[in-house]
Amino acid sequence: MATKQAKRTAQVPAQRGGTGTTARRLLERAGTTYAAEAGITLADKPSPLYRLLTMSVLLSTRIKAGIALSATRELKGFGTPRRMREATWQQRVDALVRGHYRRYDESTATALGQGADLMHQRYGDDLRKLRAEADGDPRAVRRLLQEFPRLGPVGADIFCREAQGVWPELRPYFDRKALQSAERIGLPTDPDGLAKLVRADDLDRFAAALIRVDLEPDLLG
């Protein structure tokens, strides 16, 4: 899981003492975003944003994160709404199965096709138009995302946690799971308090690290 992103050292304010040290350790040991693990180089561009949306749909189901990320990588060939629409339902199923996403493969293949149709009809295949429609309101972004099939509150949180790296108006975005994880390891339990522990451009990595340490407590040692 080690990537250049995870190896980057954050500048944690020294005056934060123990919490700053914990935040730095989190970034060093678990600071890989889920998008990066899925092979997505996130940018404010149509294709990587769409791939992030797809990943968020796959992570929304009750399935192991590693399997969802593996399936996301297998779907790279359908990395634009147009390619997803042009793929047959069976081709989408086959890609999901190659990623071991077997439990929900058929229903998810259907949902991805429907979502690609919605992307075209509503946003002209460009999620930046959803961002513009939200007009800087994170709550509106979250609400609009949930119009996509199979993307409920959990999936919207996943998208926003990761997208805050390229959509600054979402910052700081720490969902309920991240805040609960922060409480368990003695960090502030409000988004603004957590945001003070790391640089603004590390917030996406920090949020991902909090989720990872919740799933794997040994990451902090």
Side-chain angles (χ1 to χ4, degrees):
M1 194 178 295
T3 66
K4 292 181 181 179
Q5 185 185 58
K7 294 176 181 177
R8 197 169 78 221
T9 301
Q11 297 174 354
V12 179
Q15 69 270 24
R16 297 301 296 182
T19 55
T21 299
T22 300
R24 182 172 61 251
R25 289 173 63 198
L26 268 175
L27 286 174
E28 291 173 347
R29 300 185 182 191
T32 300
T33 64
Y34 285 90
E37 186 178 349
I40 302 169
T41 302
L42 197 55
D44 188 26
K45 298 178 180 179
S47 180
L49 289 171
Y50 178 67
R51 291 192 66 204
L52 175 62
L53 182 75
T54 299
M55 183 193 81
S56 301
V57 170
L58 299 182
L59 282 167
S60 295
T61 57
R62 293 181 179 275
I63 202 164
K64 290 182 179 180
I67 293 175
L69 298 179
S70 175
T72 301
R73 290 190 290 271
E74 290 294 337
L75 286 165
K76 183 179 180 179
F78 311 135
T80 67
R82 179 178 178 178
R83 290 177 182 172
M84 189 68 79
R85 287 194 304 275
E86 291 177 346
T88 66
W89 177 83
Q90 189 61 54
Q91 286 174 325
R92 293 194 293 268
V93 168
D94 291 344
L96 291 167
V97 171
R98 287 196 302 271
H100 306 290
Y101 201 90
R102 300 176 183 277
R103 194 168 161 192
Y104 304 100
D105 52 340
E106 295 187 357
S107 59
T108 301
T110 299
L112 290 174
Q114 294 171 340
D117 288 338
L118 177 60
M119 273 287 295
H120 182 65
Q121 296 163 7
R122 180 78 182 271
Y123 301 112
D125 289 347
D126 190 345
L127 270 178
R128 293 176 298 183
K129 293 181 180 179
L130 179 151
R131 181 187 186 186
E133 185 173 330
D135 195 24
D137 183 355
R139 292 172 298 181
V141 171
R142 193 172 183 275
R143 174 178 53 79
L144 291 170
L145 286 169
Q146 291 181 67
E147 294 179 358
F148 286 93
R150 295 288 286 274
L151 192 75
V154 171
D157 282 338
I158 293 167
F159 183 95
C160 292
R161 278 200 323 255
E162 302 270 321
Q164 67 181 315
V166 292
W167 289 0
E169 67 272 21
L170 295 175
R171 300 173 183 167
Y173 200 97
F174 297 97
D175 59 10
R176 181 176 56 84
K177 290 181 68 174
L179 294 176
Q180 288 175 343
S181 177
E183 182 177 19
R184 278 192 283 272
I185 59 177
L187 294 180
T189 57
D190 64 288
D192 290 336
L194 285 171
K196 293 177 182 177
L197 299 177
V198 301
R199 300 181 307 187
D201 59 358
D202 275 328
L203 285 169
D204 55 341
R205 297 177 57 227
F206 192 33
L210 287 168
I211 299 300
R212 291 183 185 280
V213 80
D214 183 57
L215 298 173
E216 300 179 63
D218 290 344
L219 283 173
L220 271 181

